[in-house]
Amino acid sequence: MDACNGEPVAPDLRHVFLMTGAQPHTRWLQGCVELDGHGFVKTGPDLGKEQLADAHWNLPRPPYLLESSVPGVFAAGDVRAGSVKRIASAVGEGSICVQFVHRVLREFAQAGNQHTIVAA
């Protein structure tokens, strides 16, 4: 639309960039994991001591890089606060997440816990 008169405009474009993932659909996670002000899942070092206390973080270690405020619940890609919002990064984070899931499963097994692991 032309900004001056509101008439349709058909510019001669050679390239268009489309960005998806700018708005997370995480309302279903409210009250479950810590979200930032825009609704992205906070993970790892982005979680402060107060947030972890409010979430009843019960492990002696801090959350891993992609771990949310709930032990064993991970987020990767566009839904994660602070992510790069690019497909290659999301794929890389997903593969890293698998390694963390294996590590947490070992930890829980060694502690005698039977927890459910979730990846978002």
Side-chain angles (χ1 to χ4, degrees), residues 61-102:
R61 63 165 176 79
Y64 291 124
L65 179 66
L66 301 173
E67 194 168 20
S68 73
S69 58
V70 177
V73 178
F74 294 85
D78 291 0
V79 75
R80 192 178 66 77
S83 69
V84 178
K85 311 291 188 264
R86 300 292 183 267
I87 189 67
S89 297
V91 170
E93 287 183 5
S95 66
I96 293 168
C97 213
V98 171
Q99 297 303 312
F100 284 128
V101 167
H102 288 287

Side-chain angles (χ1 to χ4, degrees), residues 105-118:
L105 285 172
R106 276 192 307 275
E107 288 174 1
F108 287 164
Q110 290 169 352
N113 296 324
Q114 298 296 323
H115 290 279
T116 301
I117 305 298
V118 177

